[in-house]
């Protein structure tokens, strides 16, 4: 089920994997591993930002520029993961690989924003970052 979900999510934008002889490798290993790592790493970075740095440590990284810095760090990691997955599974690196990495970055930005909206209210200092909505205080 996870394989089908992530394969469908990536192929929706990218189309079938290229070169075609690696289609099963992408669908069975690369897409699911990349997708799971994307979700877990993005969630971890958001939790670190809101709950470790802005709650326990009281560092005051609550400005939108700080949030953008963590968003960019997450995006860089999201770009590297697919390339490592492809080369780690002995699949030839191709333009498809870099498009895959770019799509993963787009998904990471969306996921980071969604996790931020869902988790920011528990932060002591950054509950308004990146914006006050949905909080009405």
């Amino acid at each position: 089920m996870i394989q089908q979900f992530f394969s469908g999510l990536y192929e929706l934008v990218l189309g079938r994997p290229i070169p075609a002889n690696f289609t099963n490798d992408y669908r069975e290993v690369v897409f699911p591993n990349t997708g799971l790592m994307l979700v877990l790493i993005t969630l971890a970075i958001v939790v670190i930002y809101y709950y470790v740095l802005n709650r326990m440590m009281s560092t005051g990284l609550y400005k939108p520029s700080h949030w953008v810095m963590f968003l960019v760090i997450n995006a860089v990691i999201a770009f590297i993961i697919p390339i490592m997955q492809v080369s780690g599974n002995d699949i030839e690196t191709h333009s498809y690989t870099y498009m895959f990495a770019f799509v993963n970055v787009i998904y990471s930005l969306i996921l980071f924003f969604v996790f931020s909206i869902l988790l920011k209210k528990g932060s002591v200092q950054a509950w308004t970052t990146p914006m006050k909505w949905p909080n009405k205080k």
Side-chain angles (χ1 to χ4, degrees):
M1 184 166 120
I2 290 174
Q3 288 177 339
Q4 292 171 338
F5 175 75
F6 286 116
S7 293
L9 191 64
Y10 288 113
E11 286 187 37
L12 177 71
V13 177
L14 294 166
R16 290 181 55 108
I18 299 172
N21 54 323
F22 290 111
T23 298
N24 286 338
D25 294 322
Y26 272 99
R27 288 180 179 164
E28 294 173 10
V29 179
V30 176
F31 288 153
N33 287 351
T34 301
L36 283 174
M37 289 176 72
L38 171 69
V39 170
L40 294 175
I41 290 171
T42 301
L43 181 60
I45 291 173
V46 169
V47 166
I48 288 168
Y49 177 74
Y50 285 104
Y51 294 101
V52 175
L53 297 177
N54 280 299
R55 187 175 192 167
M56 293 179 195
M57 295 179 64
S58 301
T59 55
L61 294 174
Y62 56 86
K63 295 180 181 173
S65 61
H66 298 132
W67 183 83
V68 169
M69 179 177 69
F70 279 85
L71 178 78
V72 169
I73 290 168
N74 188 58
V76 169
I77 293 169
F79 186 82
I80 294 169
I81 290 170
I83 296 169
M84 289 176 50
Q85 283 291 315
V86 168
S87 29
N89 285 291
D90 296 325
I91 300 171
E92 100 185 40
T93 304
H94 194 272
S95 61
Y96 186 86
T97 307
Y98 296 103
M99 284 303 300
F100 174 36
F102 178 73
V103 167
N104 206 49
V105 167
I106 301 301
Y107 287 154
S108 80
L109 298 174
I110 295 167
L111 209 50
F112 193 91
F113 183 77
V114 169
F115 284 155
S116 291
I117 296 301
L118 294 174
L119 298 174
K120 72 181 187 162
K121 62 184 159 215
S123 178
V124 173
Q125 296 186 40
W127 63 269
T128 61
T129 309
M131 63 193 149
K132 287 187 180 182
W133 182 84
N135 299 328
K136 303 289 184 201
K137 293 180 182 179

